Amino acid sequence: MTERAKTSDESAPARSARHARAPEVLAPAGDRRALTAALAAGADAVYLGLDEGFNARARAENFSLETLPEVVAEVHRAGARLYVTLNTLVFESELPHLERVIRGIADAGADALIVQDFAVALLARAVCPALALHASTQMTISSAEGAEVARGLGFARVVVPRELSVDEVGRFAAGTDVELEVFIHGALCVSWSGQCLTSESWGGRSANRGQCAQSCRLPYDLVVDGETRDLGDVRYLLSPSDLAGAESVPALLALGIRGLKIEGRQKGPGYVATSVGGYRRWVDALTQHGGAPDADARATLAHDLREMQLSFSRGFGDGFLTDVDHQTLVEGRAPKHRGVYLGRVRSVGAHEVVVVRDPLARASSAPVAAELELRAGMGVVFDDGQPEGDEAGGPVFDVEPRRLAGGAQALALRFGTPGPDLARVAAGQRVWVTKDPAIAVRTEKLLERGAPEGRIALTLAAHGAAGSTLVLDARAGAHTARVETSAALSPSRGAGLDEALLRDKLGALGGTPFHLATLDTTGLAPGLHVPVSELKALRRALVTDLEAQTLRGPVRAIAAGSVLAQVRADAQAKLDALPTRGLDDTARLLPLCRTDAQLDAVIASGLGEVELDWMELVGLGRAVERARAAGLRVTLATMRVQKPGEEGFDARLAALRPDAVLVRHWGALTTLSRASDGGERPLLHGDFSLNVTNGLSAAHVLSLGLDTLTAAHDLDAVQLDALLDASVPARVTVVLHHHVPTFHTEHCVYAHLLSEGRDFRSCGRPCEAHSVSLRDRTGDAHPVIVDVGCRNTVFNARAQSAASLVPKLLLRGVRRFRVELVRETEAETRVVLAAYAELLAGRISAREAIRRVGTHEQFGVTAGTMRVQG
């Protein structure tokens, strides 16, 4: 199982140096009100998406490209930065539209793009080389080795996956000079970002295209060894609690993390205001106290956490920041906003409900919020264990404290008319406080005040001598200006232009984005005079010049004409320069096995090649020996993701001397493409998890050292055809038959529900003794498979086939067809392989192959999600 390594200690001077630069508090903005709330609450940067597409939160209200320049100006005037999310996969037909969008973003003055697809980066580099690029968490860059693929394209920052602990982030940071950004608050995806295919598999749309169907928030039954296990009201087995990582911020500051990111582009201004304001105060307090907050700062944080809970919370925890804890990540009783837990119903009367204060057990590392004081007007809900229904609840009209027999503290809650249906409320039900109207009132006042003024530090230097003009050199951020008086300086009769006078007249910057931070008068001779009106004129001229520069944003060179043709030509040149190792004109059926029984079937089939994806390394070694003894070429699959400290897994795969490696994560590509011990390295086949959906990305990842790649599961047949047109078909593997790997998650269902262990060290390895599936509301039981890193993959219960595409794909030059097996028996595997072998040989039709295999036919998503505008 996983071998975790510890982060080496960092010296005190190094920690102090890192503390010198406080990280950004980075806020979500799903609409204009949320944007205003973020700026008013003190965000250092905001991130938002566009209506024009390529945006992972397509269901948010978002912003238009047409109005982006004024949004940029608003953000910059508040002393903040603006990052635009182009963080989805891109299809070949969308590249012309993508170029227009990038050009508009660069022209509007946005500070950076947040990117998932390499095609976006390649086009952005050609359109505007100085436009900063941030690698989205959707890229699944989970280690310093993986960051090299982004660094090679000039990415300035990587948004690390939510699954990394602070120690793992430290190892990541120690291995790269690329800036790191860490999610610190908000919803947690149960699946690794960029690796969730549930929406595509079950909903006909793609999370990698901005259309997440939130399948993780649905109820599931646990099936163990074929039997349904009763878990009571724990049914939301893949719905994590929300992240509130405030306790990890001091350690992240010490690591020099550049951005602390708050999730929530689909949430309202109240959520944005409370979360941004709370983390703003916390970061400021930590920075001021060298990372060691005082009691007042901790009390403020506790109050702010309570406000955040009331704004939106499925329950708060540390997520993965304090390492894996399978017992606390998923509570499993509700998938939606719960707020603050109050207690349990003791009794129900005609007009009141008595609630006993009964604090929930809290994980030792979970953030501590202030005690709730329930007031009239707050909203409550009575939890009957059916959160998907219409739960009883409403605003409280009156609250009366009571002490029950035995000393228990209780509250009598009374409601107005009409109030909740108390006939639906029963003793023992949990009670949650879901709303505080006072937060809404404060949010509206914050929105009325709008973005703060004077956040941008202004540095001034004054120069001059008698008989010359007074010259002021100014700097505000990256912008500079110089102004001078129209009249010459003359001797003064009194103190003249001393520092106090200059600060008074030049520092009167109310109503502007600036405040006077420093004033250098060493270049100004003493005893000089200039009319005060001249000083005021200089101040106005400086403000006018610097404000115009600030609102406009960075001045960057933007290519005059379309760059797409040249970028495509460069991609073709990369393809033409690739070595031809391992390529021939033979159509190959590539079975991917996970069990010895499946390998037995492959050996019996007479096929020449096998791909092995094993749960543990000892068994993998034996499987390699058996496959080689049968004369098979052996490909070994890496883990789908690799965290810092897990580099040894790839090394152990390489030590088995495979003929090829199925590369599933960016770190393996970096490591294996460079590996050399004097012999020829194995062939490197990129898997679907690298998410290649267009020719530009295909050429780029192949040029990094891959010999072939696998078409992403987000492609349908039309989009696959376009990818083949723009690439080299012989280098593209098509998955012919598979159970879509829907969720790939750090959370272990086995450990959580079949043990009391918090991680692989203490779980007792129930995965080695039991077989688990998750049954959905339609009755399908989806297998849960554990990999060598103890991560779970939930596979779709039903296999899908692309059999009907085979004749055309063969004509197009595709030669690599994968069949992925999950829990198929030896007999089932024999049937599947025989049917597809005959199909490739042209001896049976696609319809007959489908009949023999007994699956349904589908390739990729059923519908696109992009709104392409002319």
Side-chain angles (χ1 to χ4, degrees):
M1 293 297 157
T2 305
E3 301 169 357
R4 315 274 183 180
K6 293 182 179 179
T7 307
S8 59
D9 291 336
E10 187 177 26
S11 67
R15 286 195 297 270
S16 298
R18 287 180 180 272
H19 266 303
R21 189 184 187 193
E24 295 175 338
V25 174
L26 181 56
D31 59 27
R32 290 304 293 260
R33 281 170 56 83
L35 173 64
T36 302
L39 298 176
D44 296 301
V46 295
Y47 63 103
L48 54 82
L50 299 176
D51 295 330
E52 280 74 10
F54 312 110
N55 163 24
R57 291 293 180 267
R59 290 188 296 158
E61 185 172 313
N62 295 310
F63 297 79
S64 72
L65 193 59
E66 181 182 2
T67 61
L68 187 59
E70 65 186 62
V71 174
V72 169
E74 180 182 351
V75 172
H76 286 172
R77 194 177 198 282
R81 290 168 287 279
L82 185 141
Y83 307 145
V84 177
T85 59
L86 295 185
N87 57 341
T88 65
L89 301 180
V90 180
F91 297 148
E92 189 68 29
S93 62
E94 296 164 350
L95 293 175
H97 175 56
L98 172 62
E99 181 184 354
R100 291 191 292 271
V101 172
I102 293 172
R103 188 177 299 277
I105 293 169
D107 192 57
D111 296 283
L113 299 180
I114 303 176
V115 176
Q116 177 180 16
D117 197 313
F118 281 118
V120 180
L122 291 163
L123 279 173
R125 279 282 162 263
V127 169
C128 182
L131 179 57
L133 299 176
H134 296 177
S136 170
T137 190
Q138 289 287 117
M139 288 190 80
T140 326
I141 295 177
S142 53
S143 67
E145 293 79 12
E148 285 299 297
V149 301
R151 189 174 182 273
L153 268 178
F155 278 77
R157 183 180 299 187
V158 168
V159 185
V160 305
R162 295 168 174 89
E163 288 78 4
L164 299 193
S165 70
V166 171
D167 285 346
E168 289 162 341
V169 172
R171 294 178 66 89
F172 194 152
T176 183
D177 57 3
V178 177
E179 293 178 354
L180 300 185
E181 180 177 298
V182 176
F183 277 95
I184 199 66
H185 189 85
L188 286 173
C189 298
V190 76
S191 185
W192 283 72
S193 294
Q195 304 301 318
C196 183
L197 296 168
T198 55
S199 300
E200 179 260 319
S201 180
W202 300 338
R205 58 194 194 183
S206 168
N208 280 324
R209 299 274 293 162
Q211 294 286 349
C212 173
Q214 293 197 310
S215 303
C216 54
R217 306 299 180 186
L218 297 176
Y220 297 92
D221 292 325
L222 180 69
V223 181
V224 182
D225 301 328
E227 299 292 329
T228 302
R229 181 161 298 189
D230 184 7
L231 299 176
D233 59 0
V234 176
R235 291 178 296 129
Y236 298 89
L237 307 183
L238 297 173
S239 182
S241 299
D242 289 347
L243 171 64
E247 293 295 340
S248 296
V249 172
L252 293 172
L253 262 67
L255 291 173
I257 298 308
R258 190 67 194 100
L260 300 175
K261 190 166 197 170
I262 297 169
E263 180 277 340
R265 281 193 284 147
Q266 292 178 182
K267 298 192 176 74
Y271 168 90
V272 174
T274 55
S275 57
V276 173
Y279 283 94
R280 169 81 282 146
R281 287 182 284 274
W282 184 228
V283 169
D284 288 347
L286 291 169
T287 304
Q288 292 164 10
H289 293 87
D294 60 13
D296 288 342
R298 287 207 162 272
T300 299
L301 174 64
H303 174 268
D304 287 336
L305 285 167
R306 175 63 75 229
E307 300 272 288
M308 295 180 215
Q309 280 185 309
L310 288 167
S311 294
F312 189 93
S313 166
R314 298 179 182 91
F316 277 167
D318 288 298
F320 295 101
L321 287 172
T322 55
D323 211 351
V324 172
D325 188 344
H326 299 305
Q327 301 306 324
T328 61
L329 184 76
V330 174
E331 198 262 351
R333 299 185 71 259
K336 62 183 183 181
H337 173 53
R338 295 279 80 173
V340 179
Y341 180 65
L342 183 65
R344 290 185 180 271
V345 174
R346 176 66 173 267
S347 61
V348 182
H351 303 290
E352 71 174 22
V353 177
V354 177
V355 178
V356 178
R357 300 299 293 263
D358 172 36
L360 281 175
R362 184 177 62 84
S364 60
S365 61
V368 179
E371 189 70 26
L372 174 73
E373 179 185 351
L374 186 64
R375 304 185 307 274
M378 286 184 167
V380 299
V381 67
F382 298 100
D383 184 349
D384 61 0
Q386 302 292 327
E388 67 273 17
D390 180 23
E391 298 172 304
V396 176
F397 185 78
D398 183 57
V399 182
E400 178 188 321
R402 289 186 184 174
R403 186 171 294 277
L404 303 178
Q409 293 183 340
L411 297 172
L413 312 186
R414 301 185 184 92
F415 300 89
T417 304
D421 181 2
L422 298 185
R424 297 168 53 198
V425 180
Q429 289 180 355
R430 296 184 181 189
V431 185
W432 301 88
V433 182
T434 59
K435 185 177 181 181
D436 182 359
I439 294 176
V441 171
R442 287 195 295 272
T443 299
E444 289 304 318
K445 290 181 178 178
L446 191 72
L447 294 173
E448 289 174 9
R449 289 199 303 268
E453 296 176 339
R455 285 191 66 194
I456 303 174
L458 179 64
T459 298
L460 290 179
H463 310 275
S468 67
T469 58
L470 172 63
V471 178
L472 294 179
D473 286 315
R475 176 176 292 277
H479 308 297
T480 60
R482 168 173 280 198
V483 294
E484 60 182 309
T485 56
S486 57
L489 292 163
S490 60
S492 64
R493 295 179 180 177
L497 293 176
D498 60 6
E499 184 173 344
L501 177 64
L502 289 173
R503 281 191 174 278
D504 180 50
K505 302 307 176 186
L506 300 178
L509 297 168
T512 78
F514 310 108
H515 69 271
L516 181 57
T518 61
L519 174 62
D520 180 5
T521 60
T522 57
L524 181 64
L528 297 175
H529 169 75
V530 72
V532 169
S533 59
E534 287 270 10
L535 294 179
K536 293 180 178 179
L538 291 184
R539 185 189 69 224
R540 288 192 294 269
L542 277 178
V543 167
T544 299
D545 189 348
L546 289 173
E547 185 167 15
Q549 293 183 58
T550 298
L551 301 191
R552 182 177 63 243
V555 177
R556 300 174 294 223
I558 299 175
S562 175
V563 301
L564 179 56
Q566 183 59 54
V567 174
R568 278 178 163 152
D570 294 342
Q572 186 60 51
K574 290 178 182 178
L575 294 174
D576 293 342
L578 293 173
T580 57
R581 296 191 324 144
L583 298 184
D584 57 40
D585 200 40
T586 304
R588 299 181 181 182
L589 189 65
L590 308 170
L592 187 146
C593 299
R594 292 185 166 89
T595 68
D596 287 310
Q598 293 164 1
L599 179 57
D600 288 340
V602 174
I603 292 171
S605 72
L607 296 173
E609 189 168 347
V610 67
E611 298 177 339
L612 302 179
D613 185 10
W614 242 243
M615 176 179 166
E616 44 82 30
L617 293 172
V618 174
L620 177 62
R622 292 195 295 263
V624 170
E625 292 175 1
R626 291 181 57 221
R628 283 212 179 101
L632 292 170
R633 292 185 301 276
V634 176
T635 297
L636 301 183
T638 73
M639 295 189 293
R640 195 159 158 190
V641 294
Q642 177 178 282
K643 298 169 74 173
E646 296 178 344
E647 298 82 5
F649 285 119
D650 288 344
R652 293 174 75 174
L653 292 184
L656 293 172
R657 302 285 182 179
D659 298 288
V661 176
L662 186 60
V663 175
R664 289 173 166 167
H665 63 87
W666 297 115
L669 176 56
T670 297
T671 302
L672 296 173
S673 64
R674 296 175 179 173
S676 175
D677 58 359
E680 186 177 10
R681 68 166 173 80
L683 294 169
L684 300 182
H685 302 305
D687 204 1
F688 71 91
S689 51
L690 302 185
N691 287 327
V692 175
T693 56
N694 60 74
L696 300 186
S697 293
H700 182 72
V701 298
L702 286 167
S703 74
L704 296 177
L706 291 178
D707 296 289
T708 71
L709 57 86
T710 304
H713 293 330
D714 294 274
L715 298 172
D716 64 16
V718 173
Q719 293 142 4
L720 173 62
D721 203 43
L723 172 63
L724 296 175
D725 280 338
S727 188
V728 178
R731 294 188 182 275
V732 177
T733 301
V734 173
V735 180
L736 175 56
H737 174 102
H738 68 141
H739 299 260
V740 175
T742 54
F743 296 108
H744 186 64
T745 175
E746 194 73 11
H747 176 61
C748 183
V749 175
Y750 288 82
H752 178 209
L753 299 173
L754 301 184
S755 85
E756 296 183 357
R758 65 182 298 270
D759 59 17
F760 73 96
R761 302 174 188 88
S762 56
C763 69
R765 301 183 181 180
C767 56
E768 296 179 358
H770 299 284
S771 175
V772 163
S773 298
L774 299 181
R775 180 178 289 116
D776 65 20
R777 294 180 298 180
T778 70
D780 285 335
H782 307 287
V784 183
I785 304 295
V786 182
D787 73 5
V788 70
C790 295
R791 295 178 186 106
N792 287 188
T793 302
V794 182
F795 288 88
N796 194 8
R798 302 183 185 187
Q800 69 180 44
S801 172
S804 67
L805 302 181
V806 167
K808 182 178 180 180
L809 292 175
L810 287 170
L811 290 174
R812 294 296 311 274
V814 175
R815 293 296 178 261
R816 297 175 57 80
F817 297 87
R818 180 175 298 125
V819 172
E820 288 205 15
L821 305 163
V822 179
R823 284 184 177 159
E824 285 85 352
T825 65
E826 180 180 354
E828 290 168 339
T829 301
R830 286 174 181 259
V831 170
V832 169
L833 296 181
Y836 287 122
E838 292 201 54
L839 174 63
L840 286 183
R843 291 192 290 269
I844 64 173
S845 67
R847 179 176 295 180
E848 175 60 17
I850 292 293
R851 187 193 67 78
R852 293 188 188 182
V853 171
T855 185
H856 77 288
E857 189 170 14
Q858 179 181 327
F859 185 83
V861 296
T862 58
T865 60
M866 184 62 61
R867 297 198 300 269
V868 178
Q869 301 179 357

